[in-house]
Amino acid sequence: MLLPGPWAQGTADLAAWPPGTLGPDDEARFRRYAEALAFWQGEQWSERARRGETRLVFNYARTLVRKVASYVFPAPVSFSVPAEPDEPAVREAANRAERLLAGVSATLDLPALDVPLCIDAAVLGDIAIKVTWDSGRGQPRVVPVDPATLVARWAPDDPRRMQRVIQAYGLTGAQTRELFPDTIPGRTTLDAERVYPVVETWTASRWRVSIAGQTIHDLPNPYGWIPYVIGANDPRPLGFWGQSDLTDLYDVCRELNRRMTVLSRVMELSGAPIAVLENVDGSEGITVGPGAKWELPEGAKAYLLDLLGGRGVQLHVDYINLLYRTLHDLSETPRTAFGDSGRDLSGAALEVEIQPLVQKVGRKRRMWDSLYARRNALLLDLLERFGGHDLRGLRRTVALWPGVLPSDTESEVRNAVALVGGGILSRRTAIANLGNIDPDAELARIAEEGPVAPSPTLPRSRERE
């Protein structure tokens, strides 16, 4: 029985790792994950609060990350399988592969994972999924994996070629018996509620599992490849792991919280004015309120401290606006992305203003192109080897992304018609680009229906209506 992906897993404690497994870089990476996750959850003050102190936290970091994710995935992604070589049998296998991928995606609800994983990649800097075969259900299984449970090793001359992955996670005794029924029988002494450390070691040739330090599996890899797909957010050219998008936002978010807290205190005190007395020995009997009367000795002065005068508050507001602009610049997410540019702009000017976000989304989609290519190749391999589908060895897929910005479907159709009519684009590619998951079947239906009489052309102004 092939192992389905582990469930009920959590971040492994450092003590659960086998001796010598973790290096200094791995421990530093785990600390970065913990810091980024805490910041994402609102722990954005670097110093401890004083007794009775009120602090404000405006979690712009969370909002900006979610906003970018919504632009990366405004709609689900579809996939095309190129038929290489272009022969009838291969084309039919490519169509079959596209349908199978679409069916697996719908069955496993994979689009529902995209946005949360995109957010995780931006927060932590890394994401991981595990692709295995569920022999009980006769279908692939795709599950997200906490990157804080993974240690990877790669080729010394190529950081993109993974050679070994070790995963450490925790399972209770009951979960362990359910996940490994053949190895951990019911009579084995395991506390049903106690959590035991589980360590999996995968290479292309071997699969090893140990529970509580005891090896229970050391077998040939049933897949012939490592079943983990790791996505690195904005990695260094010579690095394997990625970087968090929050790294550049830590300081500006903390300073914004401090300045907003100070301004809040000023506004609060301005609503309860401070009485200043000069040349007075004591303040007994002095009360501030409507109709209050004070009797002061000769030469004494009394006045209310005006915290809002002298442009003091305006300086705070100007500084906060500067921080606000810095936040948008560092996150590459202009205010226009939130539907408010602050001024009237033409369509072309709006596109130029939001161009930094479009470029950032393009960078993120390149990471996802690589992740999708690897994930789909593993899925197609499982479907052909264990699912019994003849796919002619096809493994390469191309992701068909929706537009980053809101677009007019009618204009996309016009462009597709013009490209096909000019011999620049094939009808199959045009249909696929418009979101159809089975272009060949659609072309066959078009051929069966026969030629269609052209509809009268309407003026553009009427068509927009």
Side-chain angles (χ1 to χ4, degrees):
M1 177 178 179
L2 297 181
L3 173 68
W7 42 271
Q9 54 187 293
T11 302
D13 186 86
L14 294 181
W17 294 93
T21 302
L22 295 181
D25 291 342
D26 294 312
E27 295 183 11
R29 175 168 57 89
F30 294 162
R31 287 193 295 268
R32 290 197 302 271
Y33 290 161
E35 180 185 11
L37 187 58
F39 193 88
W40 162 261
Q41 293 173 342
E43 298 178 23
Q44 298 182 2
W45 285 78
S46 54
E47 62 275 1
R48 296 173 63 91
R50 295 187 298 270
R51 189 169 187 176
E53 181 183 12
T54 300
R55 291 177 169 181
L56 301 179
V57 174
F58 296 87
N59 205 337
Y60 279 99
R62 180 183 297 179
T63 300
L64 290 169
V65 167
R66 285 176 172 171
K67 176 61 66 176
V68 173
S70 66
Y71 274 88
V72 176
F73 291 103
V77 180
S78 56
F79 302 99
S80 173
V81 178
E84 298 173 354
D86 189 6
E87 300 173 354
V90 179
R91 284 198 299 270
E92 178 58 31
N95 294 336
R96 189 159 52 249
E98 290 176 356
R99 291 192 295 269
L100 285 171
L101 281 178
V104 168
S105 179
T107 301
L108 302 181
D109 198 14
L110 296 184
L113 285 177
D114 289 342
V115 174
L117 284 176
C118 185
I119 292 174
D120 281 355
V123 174
L124 300 178
D126 303 294
I127 53 174
I129 58 176
K130 190 173 185 181
V131 182
T132 53
W133 181 256
D134 189 337
S135 58
R137 298 183 178 181
Q139 64 181 22
R141 188 175 187 186
V142 179
V143 294
V145 176
D146 185 354
T149 66
L150 295 180
V151 168
R153 296 292 180 261
W154 48 88
D157 60 340
D158 185 1
R160 295 186 298 176
R161 184 159 61 91
M162 195 165 54
Q163 292 183 329
R164 183 178 60 163
V165 171
I166 303 173
Q167 182 181 12
Y169 55 95
L171 292 177
T172 65
Q175 293 169 341
T176 302
R177 284 192 292 267
E178 184 172 347
L179 190 59
F180 303 99
D182 299 332
T183 309
I184 310 294
R187 65 176 181 274
T188 302
T189 305
L190 287 177
D191 189 340
E193 300 300 325
R194 179 182 173 185
V195 177
Y196 295 89
V198 181
V199 179
E200 294 188 47
T201 303
W202 289 86
T203 65
S205 59
R206 301 295 295 180
W207 169 46
R208 183 176 181 273
V209 181
S210 66
I211 298 178
Q214 180 181 359
T215 300
I216 65 168
H217 277 306
D218 193 356
L219 305 170
N221 186 336
Y223 306 118
W225 34 256
I226 298 175
Y228 295 90
V229 182
I230 297 175
N233 181 66
D234 196 18
R236 294 174 54 249
L238 301 178
F240 180 83
W241 301 101
Q243 307 174 74
S244 171
D245 285 352
L246 301 182
T247 302
D248 296 331
L249 306 182
Y250 285 153
D251 291 340
V252 66
C253 286
R254 286 169 177 153
E255 182 65 10
L256 181 62
N257 290 330
R258 281 193 291 265
R259 293 305 102 198
M260 291 292 283
T261 300
V262 169
L263 183 58
S264 173
R265 291 169 184 166
V266 171
M267 298 300 293
E268 182 180 4
L269 291 174
S270 68
I274 299 174
V276 179
L277 305 178
E278 295 183 1
N279 300 325
V280 175
D281 295 333
S283 60
E284 293 82 1
I286 301 297
T287 58
V288 179
K293 295 181 179 181
W294 300 348
E295 293 183 2
L296 300 176
E298 184 177 355
K301 294 180 181 180
Y303 57 90
L304 298 180
L305 183 62
D306 184 8
L307 297 177
L308 303 181
R311 284 185 50 83
V313 171
Q314 188 60 43
L315 290 176
H316 282 288
V317 173
D318 292 343
Y319 183 48
I320 288 172
N321 286 334
L322 180 60
L323 291 173
Y324 192 57
R325 177 177 176 178
T326 304
L327 185 67
H328 281 285
D329 289 347
L330 291 176
S331 65
E332 301 177 76
T333 311
R335 182 63 191 172
T336 309
F338 293 85
D340 178 20
S341 64
R343 58 192 188 278
D344 294 331
L345 297 174
S346 65
L350 282 172
E351 289 186 6
V352 171
E353 187 165 301
I354 207 170
Q355 191 65 20
L357 176 60
V358 175
Q359 294 169 344
K360 183 175 184 176
V361 168
R363 294 199 307 270
K364 290 186 175 295
R365 285 186 173 182
R366 283 192 286 274
M367 180 204 77
W368 280 93
D369 282 335
S370 176
L371 185 145
Y372 281 143
R374 177 62 178 167
R375 187 199 71 179
N376 291 343
L378 301 187
L379 288 174
L380 292 175
D381 190 62
L382 291 174
L383 290 168
E384 185 163 35
R385 292 171 55 197
F386 302 108
H389 299 280
D390 180 15
L391 301 179
R392 295 295 181 109
L394 294 174
R395 299 294 183 266
R396 190 169 77 88
T397 59
V398 177
L400 304 176
W401 290 94
V404 178
L405 303 177
S407 59
D408 184 3
T409 304
E410 181 183 342
S411 65
E412 292 182 2
V413 173
R414 286 183 182 277
N415 293 335
V417 170
L419 292 173
V420 172
I424 301 175
L425 200 68
S426 69
R427 289 187 299 163
R428 186 187 189 282
T429 301
I431 293 174
N433 289 342
L434 290 173
N436 193 297
I437 63 174
D438 194 352
D440 289 299
E442 190 66 29
L443 286 172
R445 286 191 288 268
I446 293 173
E448 291 175 1
E449 292 176 355
V452 180
S455 58
T457 303
L458 298 176
R460 286 184 177 272
S461 60
R462 291 291 304 279
E463 288 179 354
R464 290 195 185 96
E465 297 175 2

